[in-house]
Amino acid sequence: MADSGGEKKRVVVIGGGVAGSLIARSLQDEANVTLIDMKEYFEIPWAALRSMCDPSFAKRAVFSHSEYLPHGNVITSAAANITDTEVVTAKGDKVAYDFAVIATGHSETGAYTKDEKFSQYQTDHQKIKSASSILIIGGGQTGVELAAEIAVDYPDKKVTIVHRGSMLLEFIGESASNKVVHWLKSRKVEIILGQSVDVNSAKDGVYKTSGGQTVDAECHFICIGKPIGSGWLKETVLKGSLDIHGRLMVDSDLKVKGRSNVFGIGDITDIPELKLGYLAQRHAGIAAKNIRLLMKNANDNNLNVYKPALPLSLIALGKKEAVAQFYCLSCIGRLPGMIKSGDLFVGRTRKQLGLLSELQ
């Protein structure tokens, strides 16, 4: 059984995404931290679409877990089980814990090494570069930001978005959505709403929608939501802590309901708010503070409370423009673009993890 020993408490973080990486980084000097992740690297997720169009951007946005966790342990494996005392990995490691943090977000597939990830970006880039027409399936944030990146970098390409919903970006409100639709259409992006596409039925570059329309495209990208990464918990001691949607139920102090030493953070939680990166970072901050308190006094009842955030949404539209939504107010163009779109918060995220904002 893997056990770091010593006087420091053992903290096991499962999931190396936005929330998991930050809490592991935060606690590595005060506890014996082990990060369990199926990938050997952390990827800044909101930089991924830029990296597809410009693979050189990925060099700052993808880095090994070991780079920001010099004092922690990293196990590259999926988690397979959690008991009251240990986490079992798919490789067979048994890692004892005093505190566990579940941060497995959404299910990931493929590209488990940095080289595989960089290669994937190169492949996607070549796909985009060589195609004169591109189909994007899904009109949420991922689909819209990818369409915008392509429309700005390759204005001569024909881009079509097919979205099952009645409006793009349903989560940001009708006014902001309409602004984005106008922005995309002004750049010749075709938008088909209320329909889906079966990519397996495509023939000779012709895709048929559920409404009977046809779309000519030389390649496609699927930009629909990924499943919640809680499947591995369904046969564990935490199976009763999952809601009907598979989300992990947490109390206001971010402890898993009914548990005194297991926390849930990030997209996997049932917190009623948008699943956004900066909110996952806030979860990590609150949970880290509470674990510090409990490491000093296991009976501390004065834990920090997480309050669901008022939604602030920023959707990048290429390298210089964006749309912002706060409460019922929305604006689009260069001003919100100055906040997000140039660097996509990559420098800031690297600094949060103790890395230099720029590569040396």
Side-chain angles (χ1 to χ4, degrees), residues 42-210:
F42 171 65
E43 174 189 22
I44 300 174
W46 43 87
L49 305 170
R50 177 77 46 85
S51 297
M52 289 169 65
C53 291
D54 177 9
S56 66
F57 196 74
K59 290 175 183 175
R60 289 170 60 237
V62 176
F63 40 87
S64 299
H65 291 308
S66 57
E67 288 184 52
Y68 65 87
L69 268 185
H71 305 138
N73 309 306
V74 179
I75 297 176
T76 306
S77 174
N81 190 17
I82 182 170
T83 71
D84 293 327
T85 58
E86 65 185 15
V87 178
V88 182
T89 73
K91 293 196 305 188
D93 304 284
K94 293 182 178 180
V95 191
Y97 68 84
D98 297 299
F99 298 94
V101 181
I102 313 293
T104 43
H106 289 89
S107 297
E108 298 286 344
T109 54
Y112 300 117
T113 69
K114 274 201 308 183
D115 286 345
E116 287 171 352
K117 192 65 194 178
F118 290 138
S119 175
Q120 186 182 83
Y121 283 138
Q122 288 289 352
T123 300
D124 288 338
H125 175 61
Q126 281 304 125
K127 201 168 146 182
I128 291 168
K129 195 174 174 183
S130 60
S132 60
S133 52
I134 299 165
L135 169 63
I136 294 173
I137 299 162
Q141 183 163 351
T142 303
V144 166
E145 289 194 342
L146 179 58
E149 291 283 343
I150 296 170
V152 168
D153 286 1
Y154 301 99
D156 294 331
K157 295 188 186 294
K158 177 178 176 283
V159 179
T160 303
I161 298 175
V162 176
H163 182 53
R164 190 189 298 269
S166 58
M167 59 183 259
L168 296 183
L169 302 166
E170 285 117 324
F171 65 92
I172 67 168
E174 193 171 352
S175 172
S177 176
N178 288 340
K179 287 181 172 75
V180 171
V181 168
H182 181 266
W183 188 96
L184 289 168
K185 286 185 173 178
S186 73
R187 285 155 181 82
K188 302 184 179 65
V189 176
E190 184 182 356
I191 299 167
I192 300 172
L193 298 173
Q195 299 184 49
S196 57
V197 176
D198 177 9
V199 295
N200 296 319
S201 64
K203 287 184 180 178
D204 301 321
V206 179
Y207 298 78
K208 187 172 282 189
T209 73
S210 57

Side-chain angles (χ1 to χ4, degrees), residues 238-287:
L238 297 183
K239 62 184 176 184
S241 301
L242 299 174
D243 69 10
I244 57 170
H245 305 293
R247 296 198 182 279
L248 194 59
M249 295 184 286
V250 295
D251 293 320
S252 59
D253 55 15
L254 299 182
K255 284 190 298 204
V256 173
K257 284 190 182 296
R259 296 278 156 176
S260 61
N261 65 338
V262 181
F263 287 77
I265 58 176
D267 287 359
I268 196 172
T269 65
D270 69 336
I271 297 170
E273 63 185 5
L274 294 176
K275 303 303 178 185
L276 299 172
Y278 80 95
L279 298 181
Q281 290 170 333
R282 285 186 58 211
H283 296 183
I286 295 287

Side-chain angles (χ1 to χ4, degrees), residues 314-315 320-324 331-341:
L314 269 171
I315 291 93
K320 293 182 178 177
E321 297 183 81
V323 63
C331 64
I332 192 168
R334 291 290 183 100
L335 184 60
M338 289 168 64
I339 301 171
K340 177 179 182 180
S341 299

